Amino acid sequence: MAILFWLLWTFDLLFAIFTLMASNFRSSMNASTTLNAVLIAVLAAVLIGGPVLRFVSKLRLLSLGVVALPVLLLITWWLVEKIVAKA
């Protein structure tokens, strides 16, 4: 379970870096970056909250759920888009 936690935490970190780069790219084209700002704030909370729950509170299962939340949201979003595209 520790490997899964750190794998998901690393994915969230890479996703946060990618979102920061995308936000800078979008703002260079004068596009709206409000969604990116929300995503960055959520990812920052996940990146800080996951290890805090794991090491300070000793709530390992809850910390795994917090770290897995962005991945689950991305998969859900992808499935919803696939269903809507077929309709």
Side-chain angles (χ1 to χ4, degrees), residues 1-2 9-11 19 30 35 39 41 43-44 48 51 57-58 61 67 71 74 81 84-86:
M1 193 152 91
W9 191 85
T10 304
F11 178 78
T19 305
N30 296 329
L35 179 61
L39 284 174
L43 286 170
I48 294 168
S57 301
K58 303 291 187 197
L61 191 59
V67 174
V71 176
L74 282 174
E81 282 187 0
V84 169
K86 285 186 178 183

Side-chain angles (χ1 to χ4, degrees), residues 27-53:
S27 66
S28 71
M29 292 191 207
N30 296 329
S32 173
T33 58
T34 54
L35 179 61
N36 286 356
V38 170
L39 284 174
I40 291 168
V42 169
L43 286 170
V46 166
L47 287 172
I48 294 168
V52 166
L53 284 173

Side-chain angles (χ1 to χ4, degrees), residues 54-75:
R54 184 170 183 85
F55 297 118
V56 175
S57 301
K58 303 291 187 197
L59 300 171
R60 294 180 185 231
L61 191 59
L62 185 62
S63 69
L64 182 63
V66 167
V67 174
L69 187 64
V71 176
L72 293 174
L73 288 174
L74 282 174
I75 291 171

